[in-house]
Amino acid sequence: MPMGLPVKIARSQKRPSAAVERVRGVNLAGWFIPEPWVTPSLFAATGASNDLELQRALGSAAYCECLRHHYETFISEDDFRRIASIGLNSVRLPVPWYAFGTQDEDAAHISVVDYIDRAMEWGAKHRVSVLLDLATVPGGQGDANEPVTTSDYIAEWHSSTNGRHVALDVLERLAARYGSSDTLYGIELLDSPTMSVRKNLLTVTDGIPIHYLRNFYRDAYELVRSHMPESKAVIFSASGHADRWRGFMRGARYKNVFMDLHLYHYRDETAQDITSPRGIASAISRSRAAIRAAKASGFPVIVGEWSGAAVLSSASITPEGRAAYERVFVANQLASFDDTSGWYFQTWKTERRIPAWDARVALGTLERAMIE
């Protein structure tokens, strides 16, 4: 192990009651919503950088054929078996707004519900719960994890004529189909929408107004809860501003509602080099502070996305040394999540087995006791 690495932060003794199993999971990114960093082979030689561009590049027929093969082969029952074998008990499954299929002049999408059905069956067999996460909406929700300067940043869902209706419809249909399943952990109403924030009297950042998100979440809660029991979780995103949700959904009618935090440390303005004890301690301190702020809003917290990616500034670090630093960083982050209701690593698998992002690499070598 490289010199100077801090020892693993001690875990607290606080634990949830035996009646509630704490979530220890992974995202299944890239299965239903193709992403170049997960499956670059799908995008090779197309010039496309996202799902919509890929369909335009291939044409609808070739695109649907390509995606059908990808859905069939990217995730299998063996993945669920391996997920369970390393001590994980849940998957977070991002689904698109066209989960039930769609056909129009601009785009065609095949249904993914047959594959969600498979995920539910595999989860039941291997004791792995499934969190369904509505990850895309018409017009785009942006991404609270990304700077608004990214080329594919779009958050115009709230301005589209039928975007709200489409999102509510797919959430209700998902709840109606899977709400009574023992395998379902819950439904996340939106993935990580970019929320507009007032900076001063004259300046408001780009994104979706908080009053729009609040009203949507209330309506979505009523719809999904009408199809699934109170034991199933309903989850909403902090959108990078956990302090803005105090007093939200406080009535007795709202049961089992969680706030989702996404905690990344690899490229924002406060990211620090983790090759020093001070850098790694600072990153962990930021995570703990974010969790405290979210819990202060009155909600139990789920860390819906996190990874081992961080700043490693030294050009002389060997691949082995990098892996060692990232392993210690992962272990320290796991310890920082003790006061949450659980977590989902980003993600289970990537074609190139990216060490900081692929759970088979990042979590597969950890002692099982560290995960559990």
Side-chain angles (χ1 to χ4, degrees), residues 95-132:
V95 298
W97 63 265
Y98 47 81
F100 290 86
T102 184
Q103 180 78 48
D104 57 40
E105 295 179 356
D106 298 322
H109 298 281
I110 59 177
S111 170
V112 300
V113 294
D114 288 345
Y115 303 99
I116 300 177
D117 290 347
R118 295 182 190 182
M120 290 291 181
E121 293 171 3
W122 298 333
K125 183 174 180 179
H126 298 282
R127 301 180 63 83
V128 173
S129 68
V130 177
L131 169 61
L132 298 177

Side-chain angles (χ1 to χ4, degrees), residues 94 101 108 118 147 201 222 227 235 237 253 261 290 343 368:
R118 295 182 190 182
L201 188 62
E222 299 295 340
H227 296 285
I235 301 175
S237 171
R253 68 194 298 173
L261 290 181
W343 47 266
R368 185 161 177 149

Side-chain angles (χ1 to χ4, degrees), residues 26-31 35 37-40 70 72-80 82-83 345-355 357-362:
V26 286
N27 284 272
L28 298 183
W31 190 12
E35 298 189 60
W37 69 275
V38 178
T39 52
H70 169 69
E72 289 280 351
T73 58
F74 184 61
I75 296 292
S76 69
E77 182 182 344
D78 188 59
D79 289 294
F80 276 72
R82 293 174 65 191
I83 286 168
F345 186 85
Q346 178 72 299
T347 184
W348 170 241
K349 67 192 304 186
T350 61
E351 282 184 341
R352 295 176 178 173
R353 299 182 72 92
I354 306 171
W357 295 91
D358 190 312
R360 299 171 301 173
V361 181

